[in-house]
Amino acid sequence: MRGGGLADAYSMYKRASTKDQFTDYEDREENLDRTENGVWKEIGNPSWKRPLPHILVAIISSLLFGYHLGVVNDTLESMSLDLDFSGSTLAEGLVVSTCLGGALLGSIFSGWIADGVGRRRGFQLCALPMIIGASMSAATSTLGVMLLGRLFVGIGMGLGPAVAALYVAEVSPAFVRGTYGSFTQIATCLGLLGSLLIGIPAKDTAGWWRVCFWISTIPAALLAVLMEFCAESPHWLVKRGRIDLAEEELEKLMGASHVKYAIAEMSKTDKGDEVDNVRFGELLYGRHFKVVYIGSALFALQQLSGINAVFYFSSTVFKKAGVPTDTANTCVGIVNLTGSIIAMMLMDRLGRKVLLIGSFLGMAVATGLQVAAASSFVPSFAVLYLSVGGTLLYVLAFSLGAGPVPSLLLSEIFPGRIRAKAMALCMAAHWVINFLVGLLFLPMLEHLGPQIVYAVFAGFCLFAVAFVKKNVVETKGKTLQEIEFALLPSH
């Protein structure tokens, strides 16, 4: 490192700041020594460049996830006219909710798929239903086929985020794992923003909604093809006892001088074939209960903070301010993307815990502004400023921590033996809470009013701050093995 030698570097991925990580290690020569006991001891960090192409391919799944979340926003009206369900709120609701139901199914089985066939094949199995489903939706002339296509797409959406979180955590060096973990959220934001921009002509151009679905098959096909050339997760290979292949993949990802030490570290926790013996009950009680509880609670609090309700209600807020819907959606998307990029730069500097606490606090303040806007004490000229400002502040605060951190943190704190299946369980909990919040938000808004509803969201945000302070450990700069040893009791 600058101004000092490398003699004190001891871990496979030594902690470094974001400022240093893309300068200090770029051209450095890595060396490897043995200790007196003959154990491999590593000098220096692996190059951040080696795993980057593999991660960029993997986050195509997150891009698709974001795209399909937003693709029906601008296309639903013209789609309903072409497929003869215009005016049917039930049919319109099914077009959206069928996709969410598919995502729940995909997330439930994601862990077993990722452990059974590997992370690379998991990505390809995620791409397949997205290609089939999007093609069915684009070519259909009936509502039934559209719904079936949306179900297939949803299954792919459920598989993708879980496998992406696993893969990025397992192939990234510790000193940039937070930065690379943020790529999934940035890709999701880009996909969502892309779907909104591509969908703009749908209101004026006949049949454009079909083009929007066809376009999504291109990145899905790229994901399936390019993943053939990407490295498999060395952690998964070690679990399977395929040490020779794990060494080959580690050489691609880290460089030859880091292979022996990395294998030695993984072998301490990733026991071959034990992954097949993980029972569902193990995730709910015993020595694994604490980390699974933390993971499920983080995803639940992410949804109970009201993010989807705020996104849904943002169009109404902006409309009252005289801002067109397309412009409003684009503004929210840009703020979301900006916050995610800032989070990427801070993730390995400030750490996951600090960003989570700051994010939930910012969201509580933003919902407080919405509560104030809904009260009778605020002058009418200030209501619009508080509403619009509160909405944008909320989205920004969410994208700085509560959005990108949970999936990254969960892939870090779960022990290797249960990582994929525990992620699947927490993702399933995420989709269930997501569905319930979406189902109950409008009835609560109608019967209780925005002031009470936003006050409830603010309460959950403040509770999340207390929960994170008490239960979440900092994982910045630590290897997955170090995190596992720190969190998991020996008995």
Side-chain angles (χ1 to χ4, degrees):
M1 291 179 67
R2 244 187 248 110
L6 300 175
D8 295 329
Y10 62 90
S11 106
M12 174 179 171
Y13 318 119
K14 188 177 173 226
R15 187 178 309 174
S17 71
T18 306
K19 179 180 179 181
D20 294 335
Q21 61 196 234
F22 294 113
T23 56
D24 291 354
Y25 305 105
E26 182 172 344
D27 301 311
R28 191 174 65 198
E29 186 91 7
E30 294 105 348
N31 299 300
L32 203 64
D33 272 341
R34 282 181 184 270
T35 64
E36 292 178 0
N37 298 326
V39 179
W40 288 101
K41 180 180 180 181
E42 195 170 22
I43 304 297
N45 283 318
S47 169
W48 58 268
K49 287 182 177 180
R50 285 178 175 269
L52 184 58
H54 307 268
I55 290 168
L56 290 177
V57 172
I59 63 171
I60 294 175
S61 62
S62 300
L63 182 82
L64 286 163
F65 177 81
Y67 186 89
H68 283 292
L69 275 180
V71 72
V72 296
N73 280 11
D74 289 322
T75 60
L76 190 58
E77 184 180 341
S78 57
M79 183 196 310
S80 65
L81 291 171
D82 286 354
L83 301 184
D84 296 324
F85 64 88
S86 180
S88 171
T89 54
L90 174 62
E92 290 178 355
L94 284 173
V95 170
V96 176
S97 60
T98 302
C99 191
L100 298 179
L104 174 61
L105 283 175
S107 65
I108 290 172
F109 294 105
S110 62
W112 281 261
I113 290 172
D115 274 343
V117 301
R119 312 323 190 209
R120 288 170 63 235
R121 294 289 177 258
F123 280 117
Q124 291 172 324
L125 287 176
C126 151
L128 186 61
M130 284 189 167
I131 295 171
I132 295 172
S135 300
M136 290 174 66
S137 296
T140 186
S141 57
T142 65
L143 175 62
V145 177
M146 167 61 72
L147 295 179
L148 186 59
R150 294 292 285 164
L151 180 67
F152 277 123
V153 166
I155 291 171
M157 288 172 65
L159 282 172
V163 179
L166 290 171
Y167 186 81
V168 172
E170 291 176 347
V171 304
S172 299
F175 73 100
V176 287
R177 193 173 58 239
T179 301
Y180 286 164
S182 303
F183 282 12
T184 57
Q185 178 70 10
I186 292 173
T188 301
C189 294
L190 287 172
L192 185 58
L193 191 58
S195 69
L196 295 175
L197 294 175
I198 291 170
I200 288 175
K203 294 177 181 178
D204 303 316
T205 307
W208 185 259
W209 63 270
R210 297 183 187 274
V211 175
C212 294
F213 282 109
W214 282 123
I215 286 173
S216 70
T217 62
I218 298 172
L222 282 174
L223 175 63
V225 173
L226 294 177
M227 195 47 69
E228 272 300 309
F229 305 97
C230 291
E232 180 55 90
S233 164
H235 288 262
W236 182 78
L237 292 169
V238 170
K239 286 180 202 172
R240 289 294 177 182
R242 298 160 69 178
I243 306 299
D244 291 343
L245 188 53
E247 289 179 347
E248 291 178 16
E249 301 293 50
L250 275 168
E251 187 170 349
K252 292 180 190 175
L253 293 167
M254 308 294 175
S257 60
H258 296 267
V259 171
K260 295 297 182 184
Y261 179 82
I263 290 293
E265 285 289 290
M266 289 180 196
S267 299
K268 294 176 184 177
T269 55
D270 295 336
K271 302 292 191 298
D273 290 332
E274 278 191 3
V275 67
D276 290 332
N277 301 322
V278 178
R279 295 186 300 275
F280 187 76
E282 288 184 65
L283 306 178
L284 303 178
Y285 58 82
R287 62 201 300 252
H288 298 307
F289 171 76
K290 181 181 178 181
V291 288
V292 175
Y293 161 69
I294 292 171
S296 300
L298 278 177
F299 268 134
L301 289 169
Q302 181 195 60
Q303 294 304 307
L304 291 171
S305 68
I307 179 59
N308 288 319
V310 170
F311 270 125
Y312 177 88
F313 204 54
S314 63
S315 297
T316 305
V317 170
F318 279 95
K319 191 177 291 184
K320 287 181 179 178
V323 180
T325 302
D326 291 339
T327 305
N329 290 336
T330 303
C331 286
V332 170
I334 290 173
V335 170
N336 196 15
L337 177 61
T338 302
S340 299
I341 293 172
I342 295 171
M344 176 195 71
M345 295 187 288
L346 297 177
M347 195 73 72
D348 286 309
R349 283 188 176 184
L350 300 181
R352 289 55 155 162
K353 189 171 183 176
V354 172
L355 286 180
L356 270 180
I357 291 172
S359 176
F360 279 118
L361 276 176
M363 291 157 67
V365 171
T367 47
L369 293 178
Q370 298 282 15
V371 171
S375 71
S376 58
F377 304 105
V378 176
S380 56
F381 72 88
V383 170
L384 286 179
Y385 293 104
L386 288 173
S387 298
V388 173
T391 299
L392 293 178
L393 177 61
Y394 185 97
V395 172
L396 178 64
F398 176 84
S399 63
L400 286 172
V405 171
S407 59
L408 168 64
L409 189 67
L410 267 56
S411 63
E412 294 177 321
I413 66 173
F414 289 145
R417 180 169 173 267
I418 67 162
R419 186 174 295 131
K421 294 180 175 67
M423 281 291 293
L425 179 64
C426 292
M427 286 287 185
H430 163 269
W431 284 110
V432 170
I433 300 295
N434 186 338
F435 173 76
L436 290 176
V437 171
L439 183 70
L440 297 175
F441 171 66
L442 287 179
M444 286 176 62
L445 193 66
E446 183 179 345
H447 289 94
L448 301 177
Q451 194 170 11
I452 294 178
V453 171
Y454 279 113
V456 170
F457 290 150
F460 277 117
C461 290
L462 292 175
F463 177 78
V465 172
F467 179 86
V468 170
K469 280 187 174 181
K470 182 179 179 180
N471 295 287
V472 172
V473 297
E474 185 52 69
T475 58
K476 178 184 68 172
K478 298 175 183 177
T479 68
L480 297 179
Q481 287 71 37
E482 288 169 346
I483 297 167
E484 180 169 344
F485 281 127
L487 281 176
L488 197 61
S490 55
H491 298 291

